[in-house]
Amino acid sequence: MSLSQSTSRTRSKSTRGESTEKTSYRKSSAYHRDFEQHLIDYGIHPYNRTQKPRNWDEIQQKMAQPRPSLSPSKFSDGAFETFQQANEEALTEAMVMRKPFPIISGNADIPSAGELPFGNLKPLTDGTLIDAKPDFYDGAYPTQIDRQIRAELGSYIVPSTQHQAPALPNFFTEVKGPDGSGAVAKRQACYDGVIGARGVDEFRAYGIDKPETVYDENAYTITSTYNSATGSLQVYTIHTTEPTDPDKSPGYYMTQLRSFAMTDTAGSFREGASAFRNARDWAEEQRNELIITANGRLKGMGRETSTLESSAHSMQSQSTNGPTALESETSADELAQDISKGSSFSNKHLKRGSARRRFRLDPKKRPKKGYSGADGRSDNSSRCSQNG
C-alpha cells in the first residue's frame, strides 16, 4: 500500500468463469494515519514551536483587543449559559455549526462559506490527498478581485467550482462534535490553512519582477479548531518560508496562537470569542489590502502597455504623415476594486482578458541565491475596525 492511498480489492467472475481482481484506490484524508506524515514529507509542519511568523506580536495584540459586544453588559452570564446549553445539545458536527458555533463567530459582515469541496484548486502535494472541505472559511467576494487576476490565478485562489463562492480564503475553522477527534480536526485545519497560504503567496507574487520576495516570513492566514466535547477553541497561524532548494516547494509552518476553554466560565468565553472575532477581522484586513495592491498593480501594467502602444503609434504617424495630435488610448478598467461589504456574488463565467505579464512561484524558475526586498507591503499594516 502506498503512503497516501488506501486499497480495496473485489473479485468478480468473467463470462468465461475466470476470476478477475480489481483494485481501487481511495485518496488519503485527515482520518488516515499516514496523512500527517505525508504533509511533513512535503514541507508542511503541523507542530511548529521554533519558527514563529515575524508579525506574531502584531497578531497577538489584535486578538487581545476587547470587543464592546462581548462586554459583561452586552454578553451576560445568562447568555453564556445559553451557549453552554447549545453546546451540550449539539450531537453532531452539523449541529455544532448550527447552534454553538454562531455564538462564537458573531455576526460580522464578512463573506464566508462552509462545507464546499475545494475542487477547483491544484493539488497541494502529489494529488493523492482528498480535496479540502472546511467546515467554515472566510474569503473575498469574487467581484472584489479583477477578472483577469481571477482567470489567471483561479486554480490557487478560487477554491470551489461554484465560482460565486468566496475567493482568496485565508481564515478557516474545523469543528468536531462530541464523538469527534481533536487530532483529526487539527490535521484538517492545517491542510485548509496551507492551501489558503499558498493562494495568498501566489496572489502576492502576481505581477512583480521578483516573486520570491513574497517569502517575508509573515503570516497572512489563520486557521482554527473547535471541539464541542471539550469546549476547546484553538487558533493557529500559517506562514511560509523560502525554499531551501530552488527545486523544492516552500516550507509551511502551523503555529498555535491561543487556546481557550469556551465552556469554562463567562469570562473565558468572552476572551475566546473576542480573540476569534478579532482574528477574523485581521484576516479580512489582510485580504482587502492584498486585493487593493494586486488590482492596482494590474491597472498600472495596463497603463504601461497603453502608453507604449501610444508612443509607437505616434512615432509611426510622425514618420509617415508628419506631426499629428494624438488622443489618449488608455482603456477603462474592466472591473472596479469593489471592496464594499454590500457586493453580491456573481454567477457569470470567468472570461480571460488580454494577456498581461504574470509571474508565478514555479520552483524550477526560482533563483538559486537569496533575495532582498519586498513587495511593497509594510509588516505592521493591520488597522481594522471591530465587527460584532
Side-chain angles (χ1 to χ4, degrees):
M1 184 180 300
S2 65
L3 178 65
S4 302
Q5 295 172 328
S6 59
T7 309
S8 61
R9 291 187 172 90
T10 57
R11 288 185 179 275
S12 61
K13 289 186 177 181
S14 65
T15 54
R16 298 182 180 180
E18 298 175 350
S19 177
T20 60
E21 188 176 77
K22 297 181 179 180
T23 302
S24 61
Y25 293 92
R26 182 178 61 195
K27 291 188 175 183
S28 179
S29 75
Y31 289 91
H32 297 118
R33 295 180 179 180
D34 60 8
F35 184 86
E36 185 173 289
Q37 184 59 48
H38 181 85
L39 296 181
I40 295 172
D41 289 341
Y42 279 84
I44 300 166
H45 307 278
Y47 302 98
N48 175 51
R49 297 181 182 86
T50 60
Q51 195 166 1
K52 295 178 181 179
R54 288 178 56 194
N55 55 348
W56 174 266
D57 291 338
E58 171 197 332
I59 302 172
Q60 288 279 13
Q61 291 172 10
K62 178 66 179 181
M63 291 181 64
Q65 292 179 4
R67 298 183 72 94
S69 62
L70 289 169
S71 64
S73 61
K74 296 292 183 65
F75 190 87
S76 64
D77 290 350
F80 171 66
E81 292 173 359
T82 299
F83 166 76
Q84 287 180 309
Q85 182 177 353
N87 192 72
E88 293 167 358
E89 293 175 350
L91 305 180
T92 64
E93 285 187 19
M95 294 178 71
V96 172
M97 291 301 300
R98 190 168 62 251
K99 291 189 173 185
F101 181 74
I103 303 176
I104 298 173
S105 62
N107 298 317
D109 186 15
I110 299 175
S112 62
E115 286 298 303
L116 285 177
F118 280 11
N120 194 55
L121 303 178
K122 287 188 176 182
L124 182 63
T125 59
D126 60 357
T128 60
L129 302 181
I130 66 167
D131 294 335
K133 190 179 180 182
D135 291 320
F136 179 86
Y137 79 91
D138 288 340
Y141 291 112
T143 51
Q144 292 178 235
I145 304 170
D146 191 286
R147 285 187 299 172
Q148 176 69 19
I149 301 176
R150 274 183 283 144
E152 296 186 15
L153 298 184
S155 59
Y156 294 97
I157 66 170
V158 180
S160 173
T161 54
Q162 300 182 42
H163 288 183
Q164 70 271 28
L168 192 61
N170 70 331
F171 184 94
F172 306 88
T173 304
E174 293 286 354
V175 307
K176 292 300 171 191
D179 298 321
S181 166
V184 171
K186 182 177 180 180
R187 290 194 288 267
Q188 290 173 326
C190 180
Y191 187 35
D192 299 342
V194 172
I195 288 174
R198 180 188 65 170
V200 168
D201 288 342
E202 291 287 340
F203 198 81
R204 294 180 63 232
Y206 183 85
I208 64 176
D209 293 327
K210 295 182 179 180
E212 68 275 8
T213 60
V214 303
Y215 300 122
D216 58 5
E217 299 187 7
N218 284 320
Y220 299 89
T221 302
I222 289 180
T223 190
S224 58
T225 64
Y226 179 67
N227 190 331
S228 69
T230 59
S232 176
L233 173 68
Q234 293 176 300
V235 186
Y236 306 85
T237 59
I238 303 287
H239 76 280
T240 314
T241 60
E242 185 180 12
T244 56
D245 187 292
D247 294 326
K248 292 184 178 180
S249 298
Y252 295 97
Y253 293 85
M254 181 181 189
T255 311
Q256 182 171 307
L257 274 168
R258 290 294 307 274
S259 180
F260 304 93
M262 302 298 286
T263 56
D264 184 24
T265 65
S268 64
F269 176 88
R270 294 187 189 103
E271 184 183 14
S274 293
F276 186 87
R277 298 179 191 185
N278 287 338
R280 291 186 67 194
D281 287 348
W282 180 87
E284 182 189 33
E285 185 178 81
Q286 306 310 302
R287 280 194 309 275
N288 287 347
E289 185 172 346
L290 292 172
I291 291 169
I292 290 172
T293 301
N295 285 348
R297 185 179 295 135
L298 181 60
K299 290 175 65 177
M301 291 161 59
R303 285 194 298 269
E304 180 181 356
T305 301
S306 177
T307 300
L308 292 174
E309 291 175 351
S310 299
S311 298
H313 177 73
S314 177
M315 292 177 64
Q316 182 180 10
S317 298
Q318 292 177 13
S319 64
T320 56
N321 301 322
T324 58
L326 181 65
E327 296 180 356
S328 172
E329 294 180 0
T330 303
S331 60
D333 191 38
E334 292 178 341
L335 186 67
Q337 299 172 17
D338 181 8
I339 304 299
S340 63
K341 301 285 183 65
S343 301
S344 60
F345 290 159
S346 172
N347 291 312
K348 296 180 180 180
H349 296 292
L350 301 180
K351 298 181 180 179
R352 186 176 296 274
S354 60
R356 291 185 174 97
R357 183 179 57 170
R358 178 167 57 92
F359 298 90
R360 298 293 302 282
L361 299 177
D362 186 348
K364 296 181 180 180
K365 297 181 181 179
R366 294 194 189 103
K368 295 182 180 296
K369 295 182 179 181
Y371 64 90
S372 61
D375 66 344
R377 296 188 70 249
S378 61
D379 292 337
N380 298 314
S381 58
S382 177
R383 297 291 185 273
C384 184
S385 59
Q386 296 177 0
N387 290 310

